[in-house]
Amino acid sequence: DALPISDHLFENELFGHVKGAFTDASSAEKGLIAEAEDGTLFLDEVDALSPPAQVKLLRFLQNGEFRPLGSARSAFANVRVIAASNSDLRAKVDLKQFREDLFYRLNILSVAIPALRERGEDVLSLAEHFVDLHATRQGGDRPRLSEAARRKLIDYSWPGNVRELEGVIQRAVLLSTSGILHAADIELPEGKSKELLRNESLRRAKSFVVGEFERSYVANLLAEHQRSEERRV
């Protein structure tokens, strides 16, 4: 799960503050909402918001109203909000960890992005993008991914998703001494391949089904025994 965001940091980043709002506030500063006027604001890891922060975000989503830190007056902004979460918000609502009314405000249009390991060729497309990006930043020639390196990237399960992929590619480009990134240049932890994960999932499913059968079988035996005892009485 995402780490919680402090209420003060959330309000300051989103709503801004007036001069003198807190010790270091030597001048007024706009927040992200004011900066995004008539545009779109992307909120990542919205599941990390505390209950008070959720209330303030909900108020803004309902009527476009917000109040900068230290201000006695509210302001209004016309902003489209796109929110992302690393966890299942519906499940968090059921656990009383996320406001249901805020969930419905955010869930007007929902897009579920599968984990990177489930997106096949997307791994290679993203890897090529990160090779271009980090080769350009380092000012060197763009290395090419060998076929063995590409297979290694596809076979890995990527538990850290896109951030992990970028870190692996950035390190490979940084340490590259030739125009080709070989499989040995792609440093991956001793993790599980997608095939191993599929086999593990199959074992878990099989274990669950067998366990359910055993429980049902024992329950039926006990019930039959109870009925036999009652008939004898």
Side-chain angles (χ1 to χ4, degrees):
D1 290 349
L3 294 175
I5 301 170
S6 73
D7 294 342
H8 178 82
L9 177 61
F10 168 77
E11 289 190 60
N12 190 47
E13 287 293 314
L14 206 61
F15 306 134
H17 62 260
V18 298
K19 182 179 180 180
F22 47 87
T23 304
D24 297 328
S26 57
S27 62
E29 287 190 15
K30 287 183 177 181
L32 295 175
I33 285 178
E35 294 286 354
E37 175 69 39
D38 291 328
T40 301
L41 179 64
F42 175 65
L43 299 178
D44 196 7
E45 298 185 354
V46 70
D47 51 315
L49 295 179
S50 69
Q54 291 178 35
V55 171
K56 291 180 172 63
L57 178 58
L58 176 63
R59 184 180 300 128
F60 171 71
L61 292 176
Q62 286 176 330
N63 53 27
E65 180 182 1
F66 68 98
R67 182 176 296 180
L69 282 174
S71 176
R73 293 185 296 179
S74 294
F76 293 86
N78 176 34
V79 176
R80 179 192 296 110
V81 172
I82 298 175
S85 170
N86 289 324
S87 59
D88 185 346
L89 285 185
R90 178 71 263 181
K92 281 189 171 287
V93 169
D94 294 339
L95 294 171
K96 308 300 182 185
Q97 296 174 352
F98 197 84
R99 292 183 63 97
E100 188 170 21
D101 45 6
L102 177 56
F103 170 76
Y104 289 127
R105 278 287 176 182
L106 293 172
N107 198 41
I108 304 302
L109 179 62
S110 179
V111 178
I113 301 178
L116 188 56
R117 63 177 174 270
E118 300 172 9
R119 285 152 59 186
E121 293 299 317
D122 283 358
V123 173
L124 295 181
S125 297
L126 287 166
E128 295 285 1
H129 165 71
F130 291 135
V131 169
D132 284 335
L133 176 65
H134 292 291
T136 300
R137 286 180 176 176
Q138 291 169 206
D141 295 331
R142 184 203 184 282
R144 177 175 61 83
L145 285 165
S146 70
E147 284 303 314
R150 293 163 71 88
R151 285 195 300 273
K152 188 172 182 179
L153 290 170
I154 289 180
D155 287 341
Y156 184 59
S157 60
W158 299 110
N161 283 307
V162 177
R163 287 189 180 96
E164 183 183 12
L165 174 61
E166 181 176 8
V168 167
I169 295 298
Q170 183 178 4
R171 181 168 58 249
V173 172
L174 178 65
L175 300 177
S176 174
T177 57
S178 69
I180 300 177
L181 295 179
H182 299 283
D185 298 318
I186 306 298
E187 297 181 16
L188 298 174
E190 293 296 326
K192 297 174 180 176
S193 68
K194 290 188 289 186
E195 186 62 33
L196 286 175
L197 287 176
R198 283 193 292 268
N199 291 338
E200 187 175 276
S201 297
L202 177 61
R203 285 194 295 272
R204 282 200 302 266
K206 182 179 178 181
S207 176
F208 174 78
V209 172
V210 171
E212 286 297 301
F213 172 78
E214 290 176 345
R215 280 189 288 273
S216 176
Y217 181 74
V218 171
N220 288 334
L221 285 179
L222 290 173
E224 181 61 32
H225 176 73
Q226 182 67 30
R227 285 193 294 270
S228 297
E229 290 296 319
E230 291 173 354
R231 285 194 295 269
R232 290 178 184 175
V233 174

